[in-house]
Amino acid sequence: MVYLWIHLITWVVLLVVASLAIFVSDDKISKISMMVARLGYIFAIVSGAMLFSYAYQENAMQTIIKVVLGIGLIGLIEVAFAKKKRHELNVGFAFVVIVAIILVGLFGIHLAGGYPFVH
């Protein structure tokens, strides 16, 4: 299941580049990281759409929750990026964003039944 791997790798890349964009003080690195994160959204949305029907058959309610959490996570990351640009981002909100990325990713692994780590 190649789409699952793309989705998983995108999650890890998103965690790294969002962390860089949020925590690095260099504006150039931060801006590049934001652009890479936005490109990652596209990969996550496309690979997630390809995985949707399989996951929906296995567990419809959790799949819908994951979709909502994923869309909400993109919004939360964008709020953090906007706050960073306006120099209004505080450390507490930044950590909330990073923890949210981790939790949504772990929920996705749970939804996939632990695959590819268990199988």
Side-chain angles (χ1 to χ4, degrees):
M1 211 180 239
V2 72
Y3 294 113
L4 187 58
W5 278 105
I6 293 170
H7 208 67
L8 176 65
I9 291 168
T10 301
W11 168 59
V12 173
V13 169
L14 186 59
L15 177 63
V16 171
V17 295
S19 297
L20 279 173
I22 291 170
F23 290 109
V24 172
S25 59
D26 185 343
D27 285 340
K28 186 175 182 178
I29 292 173
S30 185
K31 190 172 191 175
I32 291 169
S33 298
M34 287 179 195
M35 290 298 118
V36 173
R38 290 173 178 137
L39 182 61
Y41 301 159
I42 295 169
F43 282 98
I45 291 168
V46 170
S47 62
M50 300 306 284
L51 293 169
F52 181 82
S53 64
Y54 172 76
Y56 191 82
Q57 290 174 5
E58 295 296 316
N59 194 327
M61 184 58 90
Q62 285 186 8
T63 302
I64 292 169
I65 291 170
K66 172 66 166 59
V67 169
V68 170
L69 289 175
I71 292 168
L73 178 63
I74 291 171
L76 187 65
I77 293 170
E78 284 300 315
V79 168
F81 289 170
K83 286 181 176 241
K84 171 85 184 248
K85 282 185 177 182
R86 292 190 313 258
H87 303 289
E88 298 174 0
L89 182 64
N90 61 41
V91 176
F93 188 77
F95 278 111
V96 166
V97 172
I98 301 308
V99 168
I101 294 170
I102 293 168
L103 291 177
V104 171
L106 291 174
F107 186 76
I109 291 170
H110 165 74
L111 184 60
Y115 185 82
F117 302 109
V118 175
H119 300 286

